[in-house]
């Protein structure tokens, strides 16, 4: 059974950093492309970043490009999202999921990121 468990969210001041983790189990993590998707209150789900199975290719939303970095450790079955220079507009629940994009796949339960002074 696929299980994705996010962690690392919290409250951070504008300009700060957070590192999200997603622990995967129940499937062959190293063969799946993975994504981070976020949803802010009252807004639609937004693709944040995606990474191919081997980790060599990644893609980002324009809103986070240059500030966020997606990575993975296939030996540890873990997906990461390093978030720097955070702004209040980054406040959302962040989900990891299988496949690239916001549709389909298996999803974690999400972790809340709040950027506020």
């Amino acid at each position: 059974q696929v299980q994705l468990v996010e962690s690392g969210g919290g409250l951070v001041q504008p300009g700060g950093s957070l590192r999200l983790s997603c622990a995967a189990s129940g499937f062959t993590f190293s063969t799946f492309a993975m994504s981070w998707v976020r949803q802010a209150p009252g807004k639609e789900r937004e693709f944040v970043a995606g990474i191919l199975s081997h980790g060599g290719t990644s893609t980002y939303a324009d809103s986070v490009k240059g500030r966020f970095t997606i990575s993975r450790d296939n030996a540890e079955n873990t997906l990461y999202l390093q978030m720097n220079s955070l702004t209040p507009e980054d406040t959302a629940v962040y989900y990891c999921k299988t496949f690239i994009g916001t549709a389909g796949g298996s999803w974690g339960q999400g972790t809340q990121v709040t950027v506020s002074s």
Side-chain angles (χ1 to χ4, degrees):
Q1 155 188 2
V2 174
Q3 189 169 16
L4 298 168
V5 180
E6 301 94 337
S7 61
L11 173 64
V12 62
Q13 291 188 341
S17 297
L18 281 175
R19 188 192 196 201
L20 306 184
S21 299
C22 172
S25 61
F27 67 107
T28 308
F29 176 76
S30 61
T31 66
F32 279 74
M34 299 291 296
S35 295
W36 288 97
V37 173
R38 68 186 181 186
Q39 187 165 24
K43 295 187 177 181
E44 294 186 354
R45 288 175 176 172
E46 176 189 17
F47 173 80
V48 174
I51 188 167
L52 296 186
S53 60
H54 52 73
T57 301
S58 56
T59 183
Y60 297 90
D62 287 343
S63 58
V64 307
K65 203 171 292 184
R67 300 187 298 123
F68 291 10
T69 303
I70 188 171
S71 63
R72 63 192 297 160
D73 184 338
N74 285 344
E76 296 293 330
N77 292 340
T78 304
L79 180 72
Y80 300 101
L81 185 68
Q82 177 66 44
M83 305 187 295
N84 299 328
S85 303
L86 286 161
T87 73
E89 289 67 38
D90 296 314
T91 295
V93 178
Y94 284 72
Y95 301 89
C96 70
K97 63 177 292 290
T98 56
F99 305 129
I100 302 294
T102 59
S106 298
W107 295 66
Q109 84 289 347
T111 187
Q112 175 71 47
V113 172
T114 303
V115 185
S116 175
S117 55

